[in-house]
Amino acid sequence: MRCVGTGLLVGLASLSSASCAPTAPAGPEDAVVMGALLPFSGSESAIGRNLEQAMLLAVEDVNAAGGLDGRPFDLRSRDSHSSPERGIEQLIQLLYTDRVAYLIGPEENDLAREIAHDVKALDVFHMLPGYAAPTVARSETRGGRMRLAPSSLYVGCALAKLAVLEDIDTVNSLTARDDYNIGVSSAFSTRFTSLGGTLLPSVTFTSGERTYTSQIKAASASHAERTLLAAYPATASTIVTEWAVSGRPGTWFLGPALRTEVLIANIPKGSLDGFLGVSPSLSLRSECHVAGGAEETVDCTTGNAAAFIGRFSRRWDGEAPLPAAHFYYDGVVLLAMGLVYAQATTGTIPSSGYELQKIIRELNSPGHDAASWRDMKAAMAKLRAGIPLRYVGAAAEYEFDDYGASKHHFMQRWTIDGDAFVDLTPVPVDCVFRQ
């Protein structure tokens, strides 16, 4: 088990951590506790600490802005071990032992799905910042789920749009058999064919196999102009390495889960140079301008994201936030804003996750004045005065659909050059669909 208690008093600039022992104090008795499940060990351990740092920074910022009428927020983290079997035990601990009313994460799609029944039964508020989190597909009257990063539908749509912009006529996919990657592949295929492209025979596989030689051969046999590699980094690195060694022709599209140093560090240098991928754009909508024309050229500035990277790096000894960390920071702030506003307007905080989700959705209506993560003190003061504000966060200007899913308008296009990722112009997401 890993558990971190921030225990910040209002106005303190430093962050204190509690022991991970089960008997260690979790923080101030009156703290508003948020529970998080993150991969601190196992195959995804490289990202866990970074995401936790983003949430701890958010806790520090909202507490410095007054907390919940003087009550501090506190973060209690547990380790998913990058494992569905071990992770579910820690999720159960958060819900039934720690009795958290506000759950953030997990990163793992299957874990989030497995716990959905309990979230609904307990009427817990569930914030899903991760790329691979399940889609929020329907309204509920118990349990409030919100998704911040673009869903597989947005990703697939952007990849199909990218294929058209690249004048690609035929595609196929090499896809891991899990909910998220199957969803990305399906959305990509559906949108690409609707745009007039031709889908050639695709191949699926089970992650964790010793070799993927037969699957690579089968995917290559279609002679598609571009193959979507829809997989997580550990498996994708094996596939790319075997593909490079085999000398087979072909070119790739890469999904957002593959924008990680873990992939680059485990493939032959240069083997993915020039291939294109997409991931969530961290430019605010107001920072982007669509030039128009057939190519739909998008120009975006990156001042907001750069400011957050600077803030994060100063707080954590020069370490930079992962792109996903921007969403985890925002998840904490959105939750805090909803609680502060509810307290101000009703005299109490919602006992229902469903009610809190509704409040956060309504706060982020386009007609409300904006509140930036850069000035939390001013934002919290207005919320405490009962003034509704929409949130301009570290990752996005938030607006939610009726189901609690954040709306996205652009995806970031990127490529690989040696051992580095290189950002290119963003891609507009203009698909019309239900989450």
Side-chain angles (χ1 to χ4, degrees):
M1 181 184 73
R2 178 187 174 97
C3 49
V4 178
T6 59
L8 285 176
L9 298 178
V10 177
L12 280 183
S14 61
L15 204 64
S16 61
S17 296
S19 165
C20 291
T23 57
E29 290 184 3
D30 64 340
V32 180
V33 179
M34 296 171 284
L37 188 76
L38 295 168
F40 294 111
S41 60
S43 60
E44 302 299 321
S45 60
I47 67 173
R49 178 174 175 271
N50 193 272
L51 300 183
E52 185 188 45
Q53 287 173 320
M55 288 190 286
L56 292 173
L57 180 59
V59 168
E60 184 175 64
D61 288 348
V62 296
N63 282 344
L68 183 60
D69 281 352
R71 292 177 60 190
F73 288 90
D74 185 66
L75 181 67
R76 186 167 302 161
S77 300
R78 286 181 177 268
D79 187 3
S80 72
H81 303 281
S82 307
S83 163
E85 294 76 17
R86 299 180 68 184
I88 191 62
E89 297 174 4
Q90 296 302 310
L91 269 176
I92 294 298
Q93 290 287 327
L94 281 170
L95 292 176
Y96 292 98
T97 301
D98 301 333
R99 296 183 179 275
V100 298
Y102 317 108
L103 178 65
I104 302 175
E107 271 291 289
E108 298 85 355
N109 183 291
D110 45 2
L111 279 176
R113 287 189 179 279
E114 192 165 351
I115 207 68
H117 175 78
D118 297 82
V119 167
K120 182 177 179 179
L122 295 170
D123 205 359
V124 167
F125 178 80
H126 193 185
M127 183 68 77
L128 296 161
Y131 293 175
T135 55
V136 180
R138 60 181 180 178
S139 295
E140 302 281 4
T141 57
R142 289 181 61 83
R145 295 200 302 165
M146 303 198 81
R147 182 191 168 94
L148 300 188
S151 70
S152 58
L153 297 175
Y154 282 100
V155 175
C157 174
L159 285 165
K161 184 70 170 288
L162 180 57
V164 171
L165 294 176
E166 291 289 311
D167 294 322
I168 302 298
D169 294 319
T170 61
V171 302
N172 69 345
S173 63
L174 186 55
T175 306
R177 296 189 194 101
D178 62 76
D179 288 343
Y180 177 71
N181 286 301
I182 288 291
V184 168
S185 179
S186 176
F188 168 67
S189 301
T190 300
R191 181 59 175 166
F192 184 71
T193 54
S194 74
L195 293 172
T198 300
L199 178 66
L200 298 179
S202 297
V203 178
T204 62
F205 59 86
T206 301
S207 297
E209 296 181 16
R210 186 180 61 83
T211 180
Y212 299 94
T213 302
S214 61
Q215 292 93 334
I216 294 171
K217 181 178 180 180
S220 300
S222 296
H223 300 292
E225 291 178 67
R226 201 67 56 93
T227 297
L228 169 63
L229 179 56
Y232 292 117
T235 298
S237 61
T238 301
I239 289 173
V240 171
T241 299
E242 292 186 340
W243 167 79
V245 170
S246 72
R248 295 182 183 279
T251 54
W252 302 101
F253 279 139
L254 308 170
L258 300 183
R259 182 166 178 153
T260 170
E261 303 300 331
V262 174
L263 176 70
I264 292 180
N266 289 284
I267 60 174
K269 187 171 182 178
S271 57
L272 288 181
D273 281 11
F275 296 138
L276 299 175
V278 299
S279 58
S281 172
L282 297 178
S283 293
L284 302 179
R285 187 180 184 187
S286 59
E287 292 181 313
C288 295
H289 171 69
V290 180
E295 293 297 314
E296 292 190 351
T297 303
V298 181
D299 294 317
C300 294
T301 58
T302 58
N304 186 70
F308 179 72
I309 292 169
R311 170 81 172 92
F312 186 101
S313 298
R314 289 191 298 273
R315 182 62 188 86
W316 301 112
D317 300 323
E319 186 172 347
L322 296 170
H326 295 237
F327 288 101
Y328 273 82
Y329 177 95
D330 289 344
V332 171
V333 175
L334 283 164
L335 196 162
M337 290 177 67
L339 292 176
V340 169
Y341 182 73
Q343 177 99 322
T345 53
T346 68
T348 185
I349 61 174
S351 59
S352 162
Y354 167 75
E355 289 300 327
L356 179 57
Q357 189 243 45
K358 183 179 178 182
I359 289 168
I360 295 173
R361 283 194 288 112
E362 291 175 350
L363 272 180
N364 287 277
S365 297
H368 292 160
D369 289 341
S372 173
W373 67 272
R374 302 193 212 193
D375 193 358
M376 289 306 305
K377 289 185 179 180
M380 289 300 185
K382 289 182 178 180
L383 290 169
R384 279 191 285 271
I387 301 172
L389 299 171
R390 60 183 176 86
Y391 179 50
V392 179
E397 295 175 73
Y398 288 96
E399 179 186 354
F400 296 93
D401 66 15
D402 293 339
Y403 308 102
S406 179
K407 298 180 180 180
H408 294 268
H409 303 277
F410 304 99
M411 295 287 289
Q412 182 65 52
R413 173 171 27 188
W414 48 268
T415 188
I416 296 175
D417 182 8
D419 57 359
F421 293 99
V422 179
D423 285 336
L424 305 173
T425 56
V427 181
V429 180
D430 56 3
C431 299
V432 177
F433 46 70
R434 293 179 63 185
Q435 285 289 306

